[in-house]
Amino acid sequence: MSTEDTQGTTHFGFQTVNESEKAGRVQGVFNSVASKYDIMNDVMSMGIHRVWKDAMMDWLAPRPNTRLLDVAGGTGDISFRYLKRAGNAHATVLDLTEPMLVEGRKRADAEAMSESLDWVVGDAMKLPFEANTFDVYTISFGIRNVTRPQEALNEAYRVLKPGGRLMVLEFSQIPNDSMQWVYDRYSFNVIPRMGQMIADDFDSYQYLVESIRKFPDQDTFLGMVRKAGFGNAKYRNLSMGIAALHSGWKI
């Protein structure tokens, strides 16, 4: 039996691929869009991602003297917000794609936060950190791109200190069929074309739209958070469910 026959499969957008292929393909997408990533978020969310990230910080309530691990942290948007609110704190930004971190470092210099930040290339499913290291773990619009999201959640639980907090911001499903239909029409007909115009990249944006539709809905993902061991797990819908925040504690 060949290696391919024994591998599991997963989704890359609407395609079914071997698990070993997905990380490389995701890296290809984000290598392609790294320099336009912040514009991409505006396109994907119609500009509302800033409000969602502020809502994430409101619920998270960053505290001083804490250590944040921001996984799939890309250009550092969440870490910057966290450090501004916490005051004296430290953030580690981890991403699988180095060009995303390069873009983030540029922003860190501009924000004069470089001494409070670490930038690490790494895999969400195999974090290069000791257990019980961080006070807070965040992942924003990244977990749907992980090959095995449950393993990423398990790793989040491992590296958090007892009493640590998990917070996941991700595109989700609108619990209204008519509104979801309208949103789907916008997503599939507008976003890839805007990606072509803005970044000369139709295919990457098409993947990102498809990846949202393949990601578990709010309640299913909540079950995954609980399966990883997190207590007091709950979620909040944002913009009627276009995105959702999931929270849990290492108790």
Side-chain angles (χ1 to χ4, degrees):
M1 183 177 293
S2 70
T3 302
E4 286 194 3
D5 291 335
T6 60
Q7 287 177 345
T9 59
T10 188
H11 298 289
F12 180 78
F14 288 166
Q15 300 177 52
T16 299
V17 300
N18 287 322
E19 288 185 339
S20 60
E21 296 178 38
K22 181 167 181 175
R25 291 192 178 207
V26 169
Q27 280 183 292
V29 168
F30 286 96
N31 281 334
S32 175
V33 304
S35 65
K36 302 284 187 179
Y37 182 71
D38 297 311
I39 296 173
M40 181 192 76
N41 279 339
D42 284 326
V43 172
M44 296 285 287
S45 70
M46 296 174 285
I48 304 172
H49 70 98
R50 295 182 182 87
V51 175
W52 297 340
K53 290 170 181 174
D54 286 340
M56 183 183 196
M57 290 299 115
D58 290 343
W59 198 10
L60 194 56
R63 294 175 291 113
N65 303 313
T66 51
R67 293 182 62 85
L68 165 70
L69 175 60
D70 184 23
V71 174
T75 58
D77 212 21
I78 296 300
S79 292
F80 294 152
R81 280 175 163 79
Y82 187 92
L83 292 172
K84 287 176 181 177
R85 293 213 191 187
N88 182 27
H90 189 277
T92 298
V93 184
L94 179 138
D95 203 283
L96 189 65
T97 307
E98 189 169 11
M100 293 289 289
L101 298 176
V102 170
E103 292 298 319
R105 288 190 191 98
K106 295 175 185 177
R107 294 184 62 190
D109 291 338
E111 295 284 344
M113 293 182 181
S114 57
E115 292 185 1
S116 300
L117 284 161
D118 292 328
W119 304 87
V120 178
V121 177
D123 187 343
M125 298 187 299
K126 193 175 182 181
L127 296 172
F129 308 110
E130 299 293 328
N132 307 315
T133 298
F134 297 95
D135 301 289
V136 180
Y137 173 112
T138 56
I139 183 166
S140 174
F141 304 121
I143 199 161
R144 76 181 188 281
N145 297 312
V146 175
T147 303
R148 293 183 293 277
Q150 187 65 61
E151 290 188 17
L153 292 170
N154 296 346
E155 277 287 271
Y157 188 87
R158 181 184 68 81
V159 300
L160 280 170
K161 298 175 183 178
R165 181 89 179 269
L166 166 82
M167 184 75 73
V168 181
L169 172 60
E170 188 53 86
F171 288 109
S172 198
Q173 308 298 325
I174 302 174
N176 178 293
D177 290 342
S178 297
M179 296 184 69
Q180 182 68 50
W181 185 88
V182 172
Y183 181 57
D184 283 347
R185 300 290 78 71
Y186 164 78
S187 298
F188 286 101
N189 293 313
V190 176
I191 290 176
R193 289 176 174 81
M194 292 183 72
Q196 180 68 43
M197 289 188 294
I198 294 168
D200 193 25
D201 189 343
F202 183 95
D203 291 343
S204 293
Y205 286 75
Q206 180 72 22
Y207 157 73
L208 291 167
V209 171
E210 292 175 1
S211 70
I212 294 169
R213 298 305 176 271
K214 299 302 293 186
F215 192 70
D217 65 21
Q218 290 90 320
D219 289 310
T220 302
F221 188 69
L222 183 64
M224 295 169 67
V225 172
R226 289 170 173 159
K227 183 178 179 181
F230 289 99
N232 196 26
K234 57 186 69 175
Y235 70 84
R236 295 178 179 177
N237 281 330
L238 303 173
S239 300
M240 301 172 292
I242 293 175
L245 282 169
H246 283 76
S247 169
W249 298 82
K250 184 174 178 176
I251 299 174

